[in-house]
Amino acid sequence: MPESILTGDIQLDEEGQDNILRPRSLNEFQGQSDLKENLDIFIRAAKARQEALDHLFISGPPGLGKTTLAGIVASELGVNFVLTSAPALEKPKDLAGLLTSLSEHSLFFIDEIHRLKPTIEEMLYIAMEDFEMDIIVGQGIGARNVRIPLPRFTLVGATTKPGSVSAPLHTRFGITIRINPYTQQELQAIIRRSAKLLHITISTEASLLLAQCARGTPRVANRLLKRVRDFAQVHQKTEVDYAITTIALQKLQVDHLGLEEQDRFILKTIINSYHGGPVGLQTLAIAVGESAESLEDFYEPYLVQQGLLMRTRQGRTATHLAYQHMGITLPKTHDSRSLFE
């Protein structure tokens, strides 16, 4: 019987695999070269001055490594890393508890920072600028405001919607960076690194095919790699090669652009049910069985990036590329201006 696709002695569970795949330093973090060079300078300068790094704002689509990058910055600085998300901060006391527990120069990470409640956001203003926090002691006419000093810390705010972050909060960050989707070459390097860490043997052709289907996102690339590894292991392959990768992607219903079944269903619905569009967001959401928010935030961005979908004032419109990708003939009676403009 052929040996296992896993060449190592230890087979980690999914959670352990996710942890081991996270880069631990800027050198291990693939791609984003300009971003990494700038961050390296800021980190080295802060360490040389023995100061806390300026507050850091990270934006970008989901799955590109915002949380991972924040952890790397903390590691490079050699400071504590405290992580939370905006929805978890329900009341001012939730934020107060975290801020007062920070040590000097700690890195305090808030994910989805655009979802902070106004009262929590106002508390952050003073904490970020003056490293102090106001709390109310007592009740009624005897209540008084007490200002508590905080250690010098670095706030890292991450968001997929930078436009939803209020201007007063955004301007309080000294460093602003954006993580962009990865190139196929960068994703291929990520896949080969992940395969090595998971003790998977993978061919160059297979890693390139996975990179093409990964939607410019390391999280998707690693997910596909692990699922293709499952197919290779069950089929008793000693290597993840092009053939088994093609079979696995077909079974997973992932095409060469990285579109999955629901992505194609959205395009088919616009083309077949609404003559290519335009169709309103709410109507389309009902037709495909998704919420308008998930349709707008999760599915549409990649379809727009690939030139398959257009957002117009009248609604969503399938482009001529969408017709080509779906193998549907562009009707001659269709107003071509909506498809090409």
Side-chain angles (χ1 to χ4, degrees):
M1 180 179 294
E3 63 185 77
S4 171
I5 194 71
L6 293 176
T7 58
D9 295 329
I10 300 176
Q11 298 186 14
L12 301 172
D13 57 21
E14 286 289 322
E15 184 177 355
Q17 291 174 1
D18 289 340
N19 289 332
I20 199 173
L21 295 183
R22 287 184 181 272
R24 305 295 179 183
S25 66
L26 286 175
N27 289 333
E28 293 180 4
F29 194 87
Q30 301 292 325
Q32 314 293 334
S33 56
D34 292 341
L35 180 155
K36 290 192 300 182
E37 289 178 8
N38 289 339
L39 266 183
D40 181 56
I41 290 175
F42 302 149
I43 291 170
R44 289 166 58 187
K47 290 175 69 175
R49 294 191 301 266
Q50 296 184 343
E51 296 177 355
L53 184 71
D54 274 355
H55 302 304
L56 174 62
F57 184 84
I58 307 176
S59 63
L64 297 190
K66 295 184 291 295
T67 304
T68 297
L69 187 60
I72 288 174
V73 172
S75 178
E76 295 279 357
L77 288 168
V79 300
N80 291 334
F81 183 47
V82 179
L83 183 149
T84 190
S85 64
L89 301 173
E90 289 285 338
K91 300 178 180 179
K93 66 178 182 180
D94 298 330
L95 178 62
L98 290 171
L99 289 176
T100 54
S101 66
L102 296 176
S103 57
E104 194 72 15
H105 297 175
S106 289
L107 192 144
F108 180 37
F109 177 80
I110 301 180
D111 199 12
E112 299 182 86
I113 198 168
H114 64 276
R115 296 177 61 183
L116 280 178
K117 294 183 177 180
T119 54
I120 305 295
E121 189 173 308
E122 290 170 3
M123 283 186 65
L124 272 179
Y125 294 162
I126 299 175
M128 293 173 69
E129 289 189 331
D130 302 330
F131 297 99
E132 294 179 331
M133 180 180 60
D134 288 335
I135 61 171
I136 304 298
V137 178
Q139 296 180 350
I141 60 173
R144 67 185 189 277
N145 183 70
V146 177
R147 180 159 287 196
I148 299 176
L150 297 171
R152 295 273 172 172
F153 68 94
T154 298
L155 175 66
V156 179
T159 179
T160 57
K161 298 181 177 180
S164 299
V165 178
S166 68
L169 178 59
H170 189 273
T171 55
R172 282 173 167 81
F173 288 93
I175 304 171
T176 300
I177 61 175
R178 176 177 175 82
I179 304 181
N180 295 309
Y182 290 69
T183 66
Q184 288 187 9
Q185 291 76 13
E186 291 169 343
L187 286 169
Q188 189 176 16
I190 290 171
I191 290 168
R192 297 192 69 83
R193 174 185 178 273
S194 297
K196 183 177 180 181
L197 291 172
L198 294 174
H199 307 291
I200 298 171
T201 304
I202 186 169
S203 70
T204 301
E205 295 79 8
S207 63
L208 178 58
L209 179 57
L210 288 178
Q212 292 171 348
C213 300
R215 305 168 72 107
T217 307
R219 182 183 296 165
V220 175
N222 287 328
R223 173 172 59 83
L224 290 177
L225 172 64
K226 288 187 284 187
R227 298 292 69 81
V228 172
R229 180 269 312 270
D230 293 341
F231 279 88
Q233 186 172 350
V234 170
H235 284 78
Q236 299 183 354
K237 295 281 189 177
T238 59
E239 179 187 52
V240 174
D241 57 17
Y242 184 85
I244 194 63
T245 301
T246 301
I247 292 173
L249 291 174
Q250 289 174 349
K251 293 290 186 180
L252 294 169
Q253 298 184 336
V254 176
D255 64 28
H256 67 279
L257 285 183
L259 269 60
E260 300 181 359
E261 184 179 13
Q262 186 68 350
D263 298 302
R264 293 189 294 273
F265 180 56
I266 292 169
L267 293 177
K268 282 182 180 178
T269 300
I270 297 174
I271 292 172
N272 295 331
S273 300
Y274 299 100
H275 309 290
V279 54
L281 175 63
Q282 296 294 338
T283 301
L284 180 60
I286 294 172
V288 300
E290 295 281 352
S291 68
E293 183 178 18
S294 65
L295 189 65
E296 192 172 27
D297 295 342
F298 184 76
Y299 293 103
E300 288 187 349
Y302 186 69
L303 294 176
V304 172
Q305 290 170 12
Q306 294 301 306
L308 302 171
L309 184 71
M310 289 181 60
R311 290 175 173 175
T312 68
R313 293 180 180 179
Q314 293 76 30
R316 274 56 179 173
T317 302
T319 68
H320 68 290
L321 292 177
Y323 279 83
Q324 292 176 5
H325 184 73
M326 301 303 299
I328 300 175
T329 302
L330 183 66
K332 295 180 180 179
T333 58
H334 202 292
D335 183 2
S336 62
R337 289 177 300 173
S338 65
L339 299 175
F340 292 91
E341 288 180 354

